[in-house]
Amino acid sequence: MAIFSVQARATDAASWAELARTVEAAGFDALHAADHPGSGPSPFVALAAAAAVTGTLGLGSYVSNAGVREPLLLASDVATLDVVSGGRARLGVGAGHTPGEWRAVGRERPDVAGRVRRCVAVAEAVRALLAGDEVTVDTPDLAAFAARLDEPRPVQDRIPLTVGTANSTLLRWAGAHADVVGLTGFGRTLPDGHRHEARWREDQIEAQLAHVTAGAAGRSTPSALEALVQHFAVTDDAGATAAPAAARLGLTVAELLATPFALIGTADEIGTAVAAHERRWGVTRFVVRADAVGALAPLLPRLAGNGSTSSALD
């Protein structure tokens, strides 16, 4: 069974509320908000507003930049969202890639290893704070002293954790500790500080999943695997529709259509692809952008029931 969520950003009150209602009514699992301080809305304020007009929809940041977020403040935001939503908050974290976001809070972006160390430290600290523990950390990557989250206490006993990454070390950590491993397929950050190279080829995806599997060794319940779908289209000509994105990313059309990061084709072709991604990669969860909601919503009942084959789409 495939599970679909939506990542979106609030631009005004009316359209955001309408999107939240539409996403919930269509059967999406969650509404996520990106977290880019200074170039996008506050995810937790937006998600609290979405909580007010929905009743069952999961709500979370996708994902919070652990490089510029402090554990106590992040834990407080997540716990508050859990309270005002009646227990629907999700915790999403990533290592952070945009240099400008670090500089804006008075830090220089560390190297990859430093960003990963801080992400792990922040994730562990936030989890401990949400569990009611006192946290003291004093390392070059993170400092917090006798931090406690006395109020508000979250409604859920354990808020689900998603780690969004393509980094090998963080994939292993996520495989060991996260509820959901959010596969982004992001490679090296490009000079604009926002876009990335794509690690979407078959051997690259297999290498990423091998790190998750290694981290999950010994877990009784492994992490769910979730792909960030960056190209979605319902079309009778998948090849022509996929060609511009494939050329831009340096992939063949066949390579693009084989990844879980793009769902392009007829309803049946998309259903077949979703089932194939589950069989081949173990990916059972997908996050799409807001512009995919209208076309995807009518397909959700069929996709959610597709199991491990495409026969349910017939």
Side-chain angles (χ1 to χ4, degrees), residues 85-278:
S85 68
R88 294 184 278 139
R90 313 279 178 88
L91 168 61
V93 296
H97 61 268
T98 306
E101 292 177 1
W102 295 73
R103 289 195 296 271
V105 297
R107 302 173 185 154
E108 284 302 313
R109 188 183 72 160
D111 61 13
V112 173
R115 297 200 300 275
V116 169
R117 288 194 304 270
R118 181 176 169 92
C119 183
V120 169
V122 169
E124 290 176 339
V126 172
R127 268 198 157 175
L129 290 164
L130 291 170
D133 299 335
E134 182 175 287
V135 172
T136 293
V137 182
D138 189 7
T139 71
D141 304 301
L142 179 67
F145 303 99
R148 293 189 62 88
L149 183 64
D150 293 323
E151 292 184 11
R153 297 301 308 147
V155 174
Q156 298 176 83
D157 291 334
R158 185 173 180 277
I159 292 178
L161 169 66
T162 295
V163 176
T165 187
N167 173 269
S168 57
T169 301
L170 201 48
L171 285 168
R172 287 193 294 275
W173 187 88
H177 301 286
D179 298 286
V180 178
V181 178
L183 303 170
T184 63
F186 291 165
R188 182 178 62 87
T189 303
L190 296 177
D192 67 2
H194 295 279
R195 295 178 299 127
H196 304 80
E197 293 178 346
R199 293 178 181 167
W200 289 9
R201 290 189 172 89
E202 177 182 339
D203 60 334
Q204 295 170 321
I205 297 172
E206 289 178 347
Q208 292 168 51
L209 294 178
H211 292 301
V212 177
T213 300
R219 281 188 68 166
S220 57
T221 304
S223 307
L225 298 179
E226 182 171 75
L228 178 61
V229 178
Q230 290 149 67
H231 300 283
F232 180 90
V234 178
T235 173
D236 291 331
D237 193 341
T241 302
R248 187 170 63 252
L249 295 169
L251 302 171
T252 67
V253 168
E255 286 173 330
L256 180 72
L257 294 177
T259 76
F261 308 115
L263 294 173
I264 300 171
T266 65
D268 287 336
E269 288 170 340
I270 289 172
T272 297
V274 166
H277 297 326
E278 179 178 355

